[in-house]
Amino acid sequence: MEELFCIGCGIKIQIEDVKKAGYTPPKALEKGLETGELYCQRCFRLRHYNEITDVNITDDEFLKLLHEVGNSKALVVNVVDIFDFNGSIIPGLPRFVAGNDILLVGNKKDILPKSVKDQKVTQWLRERAHDEGLRPLDVILTSAQNKYAIKELIEKLNSLRQGRDVYVVGVTNVGKSTLINAIIQEITGTKDVITTSRFPGTTLDKIEIPLDDGSFIFDTPGIIHRHQMAHYLSDKDLRYVSPKKEIKPKTYQLNPEQTLFLGGLGRFDFISGNRQGVTAYFDNNLLLHRTKLANADSFYNKHLGTLLSPPNLENKETFPKLIAHEFTIDSKVDIVFSGLGWIRLNTSHDRPLKIAAWAPKGVSVLIRKAII
């Protein structure tokens, strides 16, 4: 097929990968060739539905974009997933945006149990950001899906940007585009004021959202983070790691030498210590299964893809091997399976627990002070 380019953004049209820039459905390609109005799917949705959709770009393209951000005098809005902070951190961001102010936006606040206090989550996000070298001017919690705190976010943007442009950055699956759509609707009360802008002939693209004072909010493409749990799952299974509703905790009384499987995506081993009440915070649809530690390996190998799913049977052969992370616990902490959820433990110095938390190779497991 001859090379064809989107008349909206200039990107080369492709029909193979719906997740990559330039994708156009075959039927839309035929119609576009007939009418002479050939758009990639992203520009088509932008033009006809005023809907911003995220596209993935390569690491090199993302680095170019970060250089552009770093060379601009702008407010950088870094959107992270509260549910998966580690998986939604952009490697090297502090270095690239040095000199620019950062507003950290913790998205998906609505899926946390109502008992979780905003102040505690905000403080935790700030501490984790500092660990990564980020020094945000402020931290705000939002829910793009439920439009929670969108007005507050806009007020914060206006007060912090001081007439400057705003770049919104984030890895894939953090809800960045949904958040920007909510901002647009709130600012305009309508959906028909978006313009597109890009550098023709390249894959480095962004969308301009004009503001009243002549400045712009720039929506940037997402980058795939290799440490995201979502990176290893099919679209069908993503719902288990991207909760849409408030999480309902489940409490189990575990004896030493018992294992709790988190579908087929993770595993919690209670190796030694006194009988323990543990509370699991995962997507409500994820099936948890308790068994004996001695049988856990064979149980996993036998039931992965069926009783223990996701992953489903079609994807179990390519799913990464689970890696064990051992800890000795002597306080009230959360064991966080990055991008999946967490298990709360409550013990004391005089009766420490020995546990192992298993996650796919490349996906991190960490301990934090219990947020509930």
Side-chain angles (χ1 to χ4, degrees), residues 65-134:
L65 179 62
L66 288 181
H67 276 298
E68 180 189 338
V69 176
N71 291 332
S72 305
K73 290 186 178 180
L75 174 66
V76 178
V77 177
N78 184 195
V79 184
V80 297
D81 184 348
I82 294 173
F83 204 57
D84 185 16
F85 182 86
N86 276 56
S88 56
I89 279 293
I90 298 174
L93 182 63
R95 184 172 73 254
F96 287 106
V97 301
N100 281 329
D101 295 328
I102 295 176
L103 172 63
L104 187 66
V105 177
N107 192 31
K108 305 184 183 179
K109 190 267 175 191
D110 54 308
I111 66 171
L112 296 178
K114 288 186 175 64
S115 55
V116 180
K117 298 291 187 289
D118 283 9
Q119 185 177 358
K120 202 165 188 179
V121 179
T122 299
Q123 181 59 30
W124 175 74
L125 282 176
R126 192 182 294 277
E127 290 172 359
R128 294 294 299 120
H130 282 197
D131 291 342
E132 298 292 335
L134 287 174

Side-chain angles (χ1 to χ4, degrees), residues 19 54-66 78-79 87-93 96 168-174 176 220-228 231:
K19 293 183 179 180
D54 207 5
V55 295
N56 303 337
I57 56 176
T58 66
D59 291 4
D60 287 343
E61 289 164 344
F62 197 75
L63 286 178
K64 291 178 185 175
L65 179 62
L66 288 181
N78 184 195
V79 184
S88 56
I89 279 293
I90 298 174
L93 182 63
F96 287 106
V168 185
V169 299
V171 303
T172 54
N173 299 310
V174 297
K176 177 176 63 67
T220 64
I223 184 175
I224 295 174
H225 199 311
R226 300 300 186 269
H227 298 296
Q228 284 182 298
H231 180 63

Side-chain angles (χ1 to χ4, degrees), residues 60-259:
D60 287 343
E61 289 164 344
F62 197 75
L63 286 178
K64 291 178 185 175
L65 179 62
L66 288 181
H67 276 298
E68 180 189 338
V69 176
N71 291 332
S72 305
K73 290 186 178 180
L75 174 66
V76 178
V77 177
N78 184 195
V79 184
V80 297
D81 184 348
I82 294 173
F83 204 57
D84 185 16
F85 182 86
N86 276 56
S88 56
I89 279 293
I90 298 174
L93 182 63
R95 184 172 73 254
F96 287 106
V97 301
N100 281 329
D101 295 328
I102 295 176
L103 172 63
L104 187 66
V105 177
N107 192 31
K108 305 184 183 179
K109 190 267 175 191
D110 54 308
I111 66 171
L112 296 178
K114 288 186 175 64
S115 55
V116 180
K117 298 291 187 289
D118 283 9
Q119 185 177 358
K120 202 165 188 179
V121 179
T122 299
Q123 181 59 30
W124 175 74
L125 282 176
R126 192 182 294 277
E127 290 172 359
R128 294 294 299 120
H130 282 197
D131 291 342
E132 298 292 335
L134 287 174
R135 296 292 185 270
L137 290 180
D138 209 343
V139 179
I140 186 168
L141 308 182
T142 65
S143 166
Q145 180 177 266
N146 292 345
K147 297 183 172 56
Y148 172 84
I150 299 301
K151 286 184 179 179
E152 291 86 343
L153 173 57
I154 292 170
E155 290 172 3
K156 189 75 68 176
L157 288 176
N158 286 331
S159 67
L160 294 180
R161 71 184 184 87
Q162 298 176 338
R164 294 174 293 174
D165 292 331
V166 176
Y167 280 84
V168 185
V169 299
V171 303
T172 54
N173 299 310
V174 297
K176 177 176 63 67
S177 292
T178 307
L179 186 69
I180 290 179
N181 284 330
I183 290 172
I184 291 167
Q185 291 181 35
E186 184 63 40
I187 288 176
T188 65
T190 182
K191 301 181 181 180
D192 56 5
V193 295
I194 310 172
T195 61
T196 59
S197 175
R198 60 171 291 106
F199 303 100
T202 77
T203 52
L204 177 60
D205 61 340
K206 60 182 181 292
I207 293 174
E208 295 180 355
I209 302 156
L211 299 171
D212 290 341
D213 61 1
S215 301
F216 292 88
I217 296 177
F218 293 105
D219 173 41
T220 64
I223 184 175
I224 295 174
H225 199 311
R226 300 300 186 269
H227 298 296
Q228 284 182 298
M229 178 77 76
H231 180 63
Y232 302 104
L233 298 178
S234 66
D235 290 344
K236 181 181 177 182
D237 290 338
L238 276 177
R239 62 193 179 99
Y240 294 101
V241 298
S242 300
K244 303 298 184 187
K245 297 181 179 178
E246 180 187 344
I247 294 171
K248 304 298 182 186
K250 299 173 184 175
T251 298
Y252 297 84
Q253 294 297 324
L254 293 184
N255 294 314
E257 300 187 13
Q258 283 191 313
T259 288

